[in-house]
Amino acid sequence: MVLTGAEIVIRSLQEEKAEYVFGYPGGAVLHIYDALFQQENVRHVLVRHEQAAVHAADGYSRSTGKVGVALVTSGPGATNAVTGIATAYCDSIPLVIISGQVPTAAIGQDAFQEVDTVGITRPCVKHNFLVRDARDIASTIKKAFYLARTGRPGPVLVDIPKDVTAAKAEFEYPAEISMRSYNPVVKGHHGQIKKAVQLLLEAKRPMIYTGGGVILADAAEALTKLTRMLGFPITNTLMGLGGYPASDRQYLGMPGMHGTYEANMSMHYCDVLLAVGARFDDRVIGDPNHFASEPRKIIHVDIDPSSISKRVKVDIPIVGDLKEVLEEMIRQLEAGTQRPDAEQLAPWWKQVEEWRSRECMKFKNSDEIIKPQFVVQKLWEVTGGDAFVTSDVGQHQMWASQYYRFDQPRRWLNSGGLGTMGVGLPYAMGAQLANPGRPVACVTGEASIQMNIQELSTCKQFRLPIKICNLNNRYLGMVRQWQQLFHGGRYSESYMDSLPDFSRLAESYGHIGMKVERPGDVEGALREAFARKNDLVFLDFQVDPTENVYPMVQGGKGLTEMILSAEDL
């Protein structure tokens, strides 16, 4: 079958069963858009900015586990997409980004809308390709999807010159692909797993620490079974929320900079730490030297060997697919004669409960001014904990992660590694398209939402009934908090002194806008919003501008050096 390069692109996406392509047209990709127009299997979602295209594809992927697809033109189209690509790269999200390029003969000639897309994106992709022959398009896209979804997932970029999309070639999509230089390990080493299980059974003060790898590997069910078999306390990082049910008594909350007292103390003082799909990053363990000051044995399970002993030296490394490794641990426990000893663990659990009794997540509610934590609590109650919740980055992100209890994986979508403002609304778009009829809430702030607020237009065009919860404190909240605590109250450029009326702005896009100013109106507004099944509702909550996120570990400090409230300062 002879097709144009553009038609081969679309047929390849069909072969990969891509449901949506998030994109924005331009000169270098017009042949591809023409091919899109002539078929119905792959739906295109027209965003209003290329950054939002990649974020929306990212949100689609996070909520489904499938590979997200974005399509952008050359030059500024590609450079606008870089923030979205870097965001996905930092969180290991499987994406395929197809970018247009100037004609082959014009490459390197400073042609109109030319940039070195491969060179620019090389540091923030798992891999990228420049396709110079239409005959190579199908095999390259096959490789791109394979690379994106296997091993440690990540974004893969395919850059295609305009003349290549116009040229004709035989189309045959490869049934499978083999790459000599890329063979990710799947099965964990049996001997290492056996040593790990034995160490876990001998532990007197054990702790399980899990991250986003559990979500990416669809290993939540295996993790939950293993944790309950062992009877150990467990913590999920910001990226791992939902990997273990937050409503379960063994769950201690999130660890790290804004984690719970009980999670951080248990992480620090355990004698055996099982780390699963987590990377000991700076926001979780704080100062590595402080973390290393307390002796413990560490078992580290990860698909990526480069993540093991990168920041913290471990004792039993296990490289492999997390689901496979956890299931093998379960099999070995079930086959063995030794079982976890509840009496042996009793003193440790008594200590953990003493730490938990500090109730570090309590806050002083108010009848006069809306507390942001209260809004998130009510959001959890109104949705029954069953919503897909996206966030941007800042104080609202932390409050959402602290007070919305996630019992299932892939319900919490946020930018953990790069910390990208502006992701919340595009993430919600991707999640809503992937999960039609399901409640999707975007918890955002008045600064973050303006980064991609133009996507309210996309939401109108595609009738996406997202509920936007804007925790409007009239500041760059997290910046203001750090300036208050560590910069002598010098609020340099953190005050948002020219904010729009968000409810009326939402209405100008054709949506429902609600301004909520009293605590007594919060629950009613949320219930009314979610009752509007077919409408996007923008809830502008006027929250306390002085509220800070606690608990908190100051940058460079250790896990035990926590600020639990303003009284600790």
Side-chain angles (χ1 to χ4, degrees), residues 4 17 31 57 62 66 139 156 171 291 372 406 471 496:
T4 66
K17 295 181 170 53
H31 294 308
R62 289 177 196 248
K66 300 175 183 177
S139 62
V156 179
F171 172 70
F291 187 71
F406 295 94
L471 305 184
M496 303 290 286

Side-chain angles (χ1 to χ4, degrees), residues 12-297:
S12 298
L13 294 179
Q14 291 173 353
E15 290 288 336
E16 292 291 341
K17 295 181 170 53
E19 296 177 280
Y20 293 99
V21 172
F22 300 87
Y24 200 95
V29 287
L30 285 184
H31 294 308
I32 298 176
Y33 271 87
D34 192 45
L36 264 173
F37 182 83
Q38 298 180 60
Q39 57 84 55
E40 297 180 351
N41 293 336
V42 180
R43 289 186 60 193
H44 182 270
V45 178
L46 177 66
V47 297
R48 276 32 178 194
H49 192 285
E50 290 89 354
Q51 179 180 337
V54 184
H55 289 330
D58 184 337
Y60 170 89
S61 177
R62 289 177 196 248
S63 67
T64 63
K66 300 175 183 177
V67 178
V69 183
L71 173 61
V72 300
T73 194
S74 65
T79 56
N80 281 347
V82 169
T83 297
I85 295 169
T87 301
Y89 180 72
C90 287
D91 289 344
S92 304
I93 305 302
L95 300 183
V96 170
I97 303 94
I98 298 170
S99 58
Q101 185 54 273
V102 299
T104 307
I107 292 176
Q109 301 299 312
D110 295 330
F112 176 67
Q113 291 195 331
E114 180 194 0
V115 297
D116 178 7
T117 303
V118 167
I120 288 171
T121 60
R122 185 173 287 116
C124 60
V125 292
K126 187 174 179 181
H127 196 67
N128 56 21
F129 300 90
L130 173 61
V131 184
R132 292 179 175 271
D133 192 318
R135 292 171 294 185
D136 297 331
I137 292 175
S139 62
T140 301
I141 291 179
K142 180 73 175 181
K143 289 177 184 176
F145 274 86
Y146 174 64
L147 287 167
R149 65 164 65 98
T150 57
R152 181 176 181 174
V156 179
L157 180 129
V158 181
D159 197 35
I160 312 177
K162 185 172 183 178
D163 59 315
V164 175
T165 62
K168 292 189 174 183
E170 289 276 350
F171 172 70
E172 182 179 352
Y173 201 68
E176 55 185 43
I177 205 81
S178 176
M179 301 177 71
R180 187 174 61 181
S181 60
Y182 178 73
N183 293 289
V185 175
V186 175
K187 293 282 187 182
H189 189 278
H190 181 80
Q192 289 291 89
I193 296 174
K194 188 175 181 179
K195 284 167 60 178
V197 169
Q198 187 58 42
L199 183 59
L200 291 170
L201 290 170
E202 294 169 358
K204 294 181 180 179
R205 302 189 312 277
M207 182 65 175
I208 301 175
Y209 152 55
T210 74
V214 171
I215 310 296
L216 295 169
D218 291 322
E221 185 177 344
L223 173 68
T224 301
K225 183 176 180 179
L226 177 66
T227 303
R228 288 174 175 165
M229 286 177 70
L230 292 169
F232 295 175
I234 183 172
T235 180
N236 295 334
T237 67
L238 181 71
M239 294 304 300
L241 295 178
Y244 187 85
S247 59
D248 193 276
R249 190 65 183 172
Q250 287 174 241
Y251 179 66
L252 303 189
M254 194 170 62
M257 178 172 280
H258 294 294
T260 66
Y261 184 70
E262 55 267 30
N264 282 351
M265 296 298 280
S266 299
M267 281 272 290
H268 190 74
Y269 289 110
C270 65
D271 65 349
V272 174
L273 181 64
L274 171 60
V276 183
R279 56 189 179 89
F280 295 92
D281 70 277
D282 58 299
R283 291 296 173 107
V284 170
I285 66 163
D287 178 10
N289 293 324
H290 181 275
F291 187 71
S293 66
E294 191 70 24
R296 66 181 75 79
K297 296 290 185 181

Side-chain angles (χ1 to χ4, degrees), residues 474-515:
R474 283 80 75 196
Y475 277 101
L476 301 179
M478 194 60 85
V479 172
R480 182 205 57 77
Q481 177 170 336
W482 279 63
Q483 288 173 336
Q484 175 192 338
L485 300 182
F486 310 120
H487 296 275
R490 295 180 292 278
Y491 301 121
S492 175
E493 302 302 321
S494 57
Y495 180 60
M496 303 290 286
D497 197 22
S498 56
L499 293 173
D501 183 327
F502 287 104
S503 60
R504 294 176 66 184
L505 180 59
E507 289 170 356
S508 75
Y509 277 99
H511 302 301
I512 306 298
M514 300 170 66
K515 189 173 185 177

Side-chain angles (χ1 to χ4, degrees), residues 355-425:
W355 288 328
R356 179 144 49 190
S357 68
R358 296 285 296 269
E359 296 185 307
C360 67
M361 300 307 297
K362 286 184 68 174
F363 64 95
K364 294 178 182 178
N365 209 353
S366 170
D367 293 328
E368 299 176 358
I369 189 167
I370 299 173
K371 294 292 183 177
Q373 304 95 317
F374 177 70
V375 176
V376 178
Q377 285 183 337
K378 286 301 176 184
L379 174 65
W380 178 77
E381 290 177 17
V382 167
T383 60
D386 195 39
F388 290 86
V389 179
T390 76
S391 84
D392 279 286
V393 172
Q395 287 181 315
H396 62 271
Q397 176 192 25
M398 294 299 104
W399 286 315
S401 64
Q402 290 174 328
Y403 292 94
Y404 197 101
R405 287 178 273 174
F406 295 94
D407 280 347
Q408 300 176 64
R410 299 196 181 280
R411 298 301 178 86
W412 167 239
L413 286 62
N414 83 117
S415 170
L418 196 63
T420 306
M421 293 173 69
V423 298
L425 182 54

